[in-house]
């Protein structure tokens, strides 16, 4: 058996010297050292040896195994080094070449308009206030003079989570929360954010859109203050040539209430298809804060007065950039968004 083991070692080492790749190496590993390999086959005959012969043959078998394994390991490491060298030669990188330019993103047009709106009103002394998008019915409707049976709620059909919890339909709840927080002190805030209504998606409507609303409460606040504020805002947003026009309207939370039109941005007031030959475009709604809203907010309507306004940020962006479809803002078409990186 000793001679057979020595012959096996000689044969295995000779075969290993002829190996050309890792696959052949693994095949020889299985052939000589595997569970059904040649060495295992020889060692199965150790049961017929005497007690004195077994340790001797066992020691010889270990030497044979170690010799074969050692050479297998050397050859495997050599093949790995050769493969690594080939890859390095094939994948050489010229570090002196200029790098590939990274694509640069840009601020979304709605974010740009929101930031610009905030900057304009901060410049007028306003603070920015935010609130939850999942809102209580009380703050979204009741505290704004819209009780549960008020028909004006139909215009703001929303997504209800429970009977008392819904996705807010306007950012006006932030105004109510701010009034409660101020506890009867003067207020001057704008409230930007997302709002939700059950509208069908088309060129001018979306179930989710953005609003910014403003609220001013103090002593001796008048309608002329509201008009002056909006005129200043329009000139800063669209240009010094812009004018505004107020038309009577109705909102449950303001009295009196008006719709505000601005000079058509396309024809500069001369009349065109965009403004239906009127020279004006509707932009927002506003009015003096209703006495009941003041009371529910913790203010004495005999001592305090205020005005509020609200506008859709998408509407402002459509007019400012001449965009004809609100859905462009949400499709994430890079070709559309890249245009605003230059503005």
């Amino acid at each position: 058996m000793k001679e057979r083991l020595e012959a096996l070692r000689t044969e295995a080492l000779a075969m290993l010297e002829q190996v050309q790749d890792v696959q052949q190496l693994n095949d020889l590993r299985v052939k000589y050292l595997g569970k059904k390999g040649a060495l295992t086959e020889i060692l199965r005959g150790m049961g017929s040896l005497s007690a004195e012969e077994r340790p001797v043959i066992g020691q010889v078998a270990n030497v044979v195994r170690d010799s074969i394994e050692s050479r297998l390991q050397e050859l495997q490491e050599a093949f790995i080094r050769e493969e690594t060298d080939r890859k390095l030669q094939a994948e050489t990188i010229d570090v002196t070449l200029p790098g590939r330019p990274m694509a640069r993103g840009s601020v979304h047009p709605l974010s740009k308009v929101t930031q610009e709106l905030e900057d304009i009103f901060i410049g007028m002394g306003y603070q920015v206030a935010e609130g939850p998008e999942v809102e209580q019915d009380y703050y979204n409707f009741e505290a704004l003079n819209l009780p549960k049976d008020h028909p004006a709620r139909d215009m703001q059909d929303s997504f209800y989570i429970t009977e008392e919890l819904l996705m807010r339909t306007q950012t006006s709840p932030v105004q109510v929360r701010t009034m409660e927080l101020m506890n009867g002190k003067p207020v001057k805030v704008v409230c930007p954010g997302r709002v939700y209504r059950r509208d069908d998606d088309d060129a001018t409507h979306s179930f989710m859109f953005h609003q910014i609303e403003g609220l001013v409460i103090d002593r001796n606040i008048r309608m002329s203050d509201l008009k002056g504020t909006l005129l200043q805002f329009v000139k800063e947003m669209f240009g010094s040539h812009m004018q505004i026009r107020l038309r009577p309207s109705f909102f449950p939370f303001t009295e009196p209430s008006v719709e505000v039109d601005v000079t058509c941005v396309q024809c500069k007031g001369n009349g065109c298809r965009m403004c239906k030959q009127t020279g004006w475009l509707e932009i927002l709604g506003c009015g003096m804060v209703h006495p009941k809203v003041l009371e529910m907010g913790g203010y004495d309507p005999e001592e305090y007065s205020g005005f509020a306004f609200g506008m859709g940020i998408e509407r402002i962006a459509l007019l400012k950039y001449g965009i004809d479809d609100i859905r462009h803002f949400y499709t994430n078409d890079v070709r559309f968004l890249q245009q605003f990186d230059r503005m």
Side-chain angles (χ1 to χ4, degrees):
M1 184 175 290
K2 181 178 178 181
E3 289 76 12
R4 290 176 63 191
L5 289 171
E6 291 293 346
L8 177 65
R9 179 172 65 172
T10 302
E11 177 188 335
L13 293 177
M15 292 294 293
L16 287 174
E17 295 306 319
Q18 303 175 29
V19 170
Q20 300 295 320
D21 55 43
V22 175
Q23 182 60 49
Q24 292 180 6
L25 191 70
N26 290 332
D27 291 342
L28 290 178
R29 186 192 306 275
V30 173
K31 178 179 178 180
Y32 290 107
L33 302 181
K35 291 182 179 180
K36 297 180 180 180
L39 180 60
T40 304
E41 187 67 26
I42 295 173
L43 294 179
R44 283 176 182 166
M46 288 186 66
S48 62
L49 299 176
S50 64
E52 293 78 13
E53 292 178 313
R54 286 178 188 171
V56 176
I57 297 302
Q59 186 176 4
V60 173
N62 288 336
V63 171
V64 171
R65 182 187 300 276
D66 290 344
S67 297
I68 297 173
E69 285 185 342
S70 176
R71 187 56 181 157
L72 282 166
Q73 183 66 28
E74 291 174 0
L75 290 172
Q76 184 167 358
E77 291 176 357
F79 282 131
I80 291 174
R81 286 195 299 271
E82 290 176 7
E83 181 64 22
T84 301
D85 291 340
R86 281 197 297 271
K87 286 184 177 181
L88 289 174
Q89 290 297 324
E91 300 174 5
T92 300
I93 299 174
D94 186 350
V95 295
T96 64
L97 290 173
R100 295 185 180 93
M102 296 294 291
R104 187 180 69 173
S106 61
V107 179
H108 193 280
L110 291 180
S111 297
K112 289 173 74 76
V113 171
T114 301
Q115 292 168 5
E116 189 171 354
L117 288 166
E118 290 177 353
D119 289 343
I120 290 172
F121 286 107
I122 288 173
M124 296 185 195
Y126 287 74
Q127 292 182 314
V128 177
E130 296 180 339
E133 294 179 18
V134 180
E135 188 55 274
Q136 298 177 37
D137 184 272
Y138 171 79
Y139 288 106
N140 196 80
F141 288 126
E142 294 181 44
L144 294 165
N145 199 30
L146 281 160
K148 291 187 181 298
D149 58 351
H150 200 292
R153 285 193 178 206
D154 294 341
M155 295 185 294
Q156 298 189 25
D157 196 8
S158 182
F159 300 94
Y160 278 83
I161 299 171
T162 69
E163 290 187 2
E164 299 299 328
L165 206 61
L166 70 155
M167 304 301 293
R168 67 181 182 187
T169 63
Q170 52 198 354
T171 56
S172 302
V174 183
Q175 299 181 7
V176 179
R177 291 178 178 275
T178 301
M179 285 191 284
E180 289 184 349
L181 186 65
M182 295 303 291
N183 196 26
K185 298 177 183 178
V187 173
K188 195 173 185 181
V189 295
V190 286
C191 314
R194 279 185 295 265
V195 297
Y196 305 83
R197 298 183 189 178
R198 291 182 59 189
D199 283 335
D200 294 329
D201 284 356
D202 57 31
T204 57
H205 297 85
S206 172
F207 71 91
M208 183 281 296
F209 56 100
H210 299 75
Q211 273 191 341
I212 185 167
E213 299 191 10
L215 174 67
V216 175
I217 298 176
D218 206 339
R219 293 178 175 86
N220 301 318
I221 299 297
R222 297 163 296 189
M223 194 75 175
S224 57
D225 298 317
L226 171 59
K227 182 178 180 180
T229 297
L230 295 178
L231 181 60
Q232 180 66 22
F233 151 69
V234 166
K235 287 181 178 295
E236 290 197 37
M237 175 58 71
F238 298 106
S240 59
H241 65 282
M242 300 293 283
Q243 296 296 322
I244 63 173
R245 179 179 71 173
L246 308 185
R247 292 180 289 107
S249 186
F250 167 77
F251 302 110
F253 30 81
T254 53
E255 181 60 39
S257 304
V258 295
E259 299 277 2
V260 179
D261 301 331
V262 297
T263 309
C264 178
V265 295
Q266 182 166 305
C267 67
K268 305 297 188 292
N270 295 318
C272 65
R273 290 177 58 188
M274 186 175 183
C275 62
K276 300 179 180 178
Q277 305 302 324
T278 65
W280 298 96
L281 293 171
E282 181 182 325
I283 192 174
L284 60 89
C286 61
M288 301 301 292
V289 180
H290 197 289
K292 287 186 178 179
V293 176
L294 287 172
E295 281 188 49
M296 286 185 282
Y299 292 84
D300 182 357
E302 297 295 328
E303 183 178 358
Y304 286 90
S305 59
F307 64 75
F309 57 85
M311 66 191 88
I313 294 176
E314 281 84 348
R315 176 69 170 165
I316 301 298
L318 290 173
L319 295 176
K320 185 175 180 66
Y321 297 124
I323 301 168
D324 59 0
D325 195 323
I326 193 174
R327 290 169 291 194
H328 291 321
F329 292 128
Y330 310 120
T331 54
N332 293 325
D333 189 326
V334 174
R335 295 169 300 175
F336 171 76
L337 297 175
Q338 283 177 337
Q339 300 175 72
F340 301 92
D341 190 31
R342 301 188 297 270
M343 296 183 179

